[in-house]
Amino acid sequence: MRKRYPLRLYLAGATAARAGDEMSGPALLLAGFALTGSTVEASALLAGITVSAAVGGPVLGALLDRAGRPGSLLAAALVLYAAGLGAIVLGLDRLPFAVTLLIAVVTGLSGPALSGGWSARLTDVARGDRLPRANALDAMTFGVAGLAGPALAGTVAEVLGAPAAVVVSAMLIASALPFAWLLPARPALARRARTTSVISDLAAGMRFIAGRPALARATVASVVSCVAQGMLTVCLPVLGVRVLGGAGLGAVLLSCAAVSALVATAVLARFARSVSPDTIIWASVLVQAAAVALAAWDRPVVLVVAVLLAGIGEGPQLAALFAVRHREAPEHLRGQIFTTGASLKISGFALGATVAGPVAAWSLPGTLALAASVAVLAALAFLAIPDSSVRSRDREPSRRQAS
C-alpha cells in the first residue's frame, strides 16, 4: 500500500489543504467586511470558524483512530470545510448574520482535519528511517501554506473581489480530496476491536497525553508558545504603522516569518537526527522569546530581524513537536493526539490574540514584554515536567543487550 502512495502525493495534498486553510482566514475577513461593511461581523466570522476547532479536533481524531480507512473520513472532513466556506459566502448578504455565523461555527468543527488530521496519517506513508525526514517535510508544508495562503487571498481579493478569495480557498481545500481519499487503509493488525464509546476514547486520549511526560511537556510548551505567537500577530500591524509607516507593511512581516520558518525547517530536514526534538522544542521557544523582545525596539532593521528570528523558532518547533507526537503516540490514539494538539494550539493562539487587543491599546511595549514573558514561561513549563519516559526509553536497548 505504501509503495502505491508515494510521500510526494501526501505532501501535495497536505500543502493544498493547508494553503487553502491559511487563505480562508484573511479571505473571510475581507469578504465579511466587503459584504457587511462591519469589522465586528467580519472578525466574528473568523472567531467562529476558529474557536469551534477546539471541540471538533479531539472528536475528529477519535473517529480517525477508529476508522479502517481514515483517508475517506479525512476526505469527508475536507468536503465539509470547503462546502462550509462556500455556504458562508452565499449567506453573507442573503441570510441573517446569526445564521451565517452558525454556519461558520459548524464549518470550523472539521478544521483540524487540515492540520493534525493530515499529520496523524504520515506514518501510513513513511515509517522507520524515512519518518524523520518525512516529518520535517510535513512541517514545511505549513510554512509554504503560511507564505502562499495570505498572499493569494490578498491578490485574488484585489483582482476578483473578496468573495472570490473565499471561493478559491475552498477550491484549494477541495483539490486535496483525491490525495486524502487514496491514503492507505490501516493494516488489519493496527485495528483494534472497539467496545468503548467515542467519549471513552476521548478520555483515554487526554489521559495518555497527560500521563506521558515527554508528550505532555511538548504539548504544554507548544500551546503556551502559541499564546505568545497570537499576541505578536496582533501587534504586527501596529508595529507596521509605528516603525515601517503602514499597517499593511506590518502584515507583510508575517510572510517574512513564514519564509524564515520554511528555510529553518528545510535545514532541519537535512539534519533531522542531529538534535533531539525535545531539545529543539524548548530551545526554539527561547528563540521566539528573544525575537518578541527585539520587536519592541523602534528600529526597522531590528524589527525585520526580530520577525525573521521568530520564524526560525516557529518552524523547527513545529517539526520537533510532530516528531515527539509520532514517537510517543500509540497507533490507536495517534489521530486523536494530533488533532487534540492542533485544537489546543488554535485555542492558545486565539487566547493570545484576545488578550493582546486591549493590552496593546494601553501599551504596545508592554504587550510585547508580556508576550516574551509568556514564551519564556513555555520553555520553563517544558523543563519543569520530568523527562523520565525519555530516559527510560533510552535505557531500554542497553537492558535488552544486557539480557
Side-chain angles (χ1 to χ4, degrees), residues 132-192:
R133 178 176 178 273
N135 179 68
L137 292 173
D138 183 38
M140 285 177 63
T141 65
F142 284 91
V144 173
L147 180 61
L152 189 57
T155 301
V156 174
E158 285 293 324
V159 176
L160 301 176
V166 181
V167 174
V168 172
S169 70
M171 291 172 62
L172 264 177
I173 294 169
S175 71
L177 286 175
F179 302 102
W181 182 265
L182 294 174
L183 278 167
R186 298 176 68 200
L189 292 177
R191 304 176 193 174
R192 290 193 172 193

Side-chain angles (χ1 to χ4, degrees), residues 234-263:
V234 169
C235 293
L236 285 179
V238 184
L239 284 168
V241 172
R242 291 192 179 185
V243 182
L244 302 177
L249 294 176
V252 170
L253 292 174
L254 287 173
S255 295
C256 295
V259 170
S260 62
L262 185 60
V263 172

